[in-house]
Amino acid sequence: MLIIMQLVTTITAIKVIFMNKFYDANLIYKAGKKAIAGAPFKYKAQLFEMNQLLETAQLQKAMIEKTYRPTKRN
């Protein structure tokens, strides 16, 4: 029983360590800035930049809830 409990705790700890980088709002924000830098003149990029903090929070929430689906590129 103790071995199983330790294994479950270790797996949970590994999930937390590796998944935190996907849930980190600072990294999501930086990725958004990097994506905008490629085409700052496009309408969608300007719209994202105006609402970047809100978009970052929404993306983070969707990733945590596992409901995030990337959209197709236009």
Side-chain angles (χ1 to χ4, degrees), residues 1 6 22 42 44 47 53 55 65 68-69 74:
M1 178 86 173
Q6 183 178 8
F22 296 110
K42 290 188 175 180
K44 289 278 190 175
L47 187 63
L53 290 176
E55 292 284 342
E65 294 173 349
Y68 173 73
R69 299 284 178 251
N74 292 332

Side-chain angles (χ1 to χ4, degrees), residues 27-70:
L27 294 177
I28 296 170
Y29 183 84
K30 286 179 186 175
K33 292 294 266 186
K34 189 175 181 180
I36 291 169
F41 55 88
K42 290 188 175 180
Y43 174 73
K44 289 278 190 175
Q46 292 174 356
L47 187 63
F48 183 86
E49 190 172 22
M50 287 187 332
N51 301 312
Q52 190 167 8
L53 290 176
L54 178 62
E55 292 284 342
T56 299
Q58 290 173 345
L59 284 170
Q60 182 184 30
K61 182 181 177 191
M63 286 185 194
I64 290 171
E65 294 173 349
K66 295 180 175 56
T67 58
Y68 173 73
R69 299 284 178 251

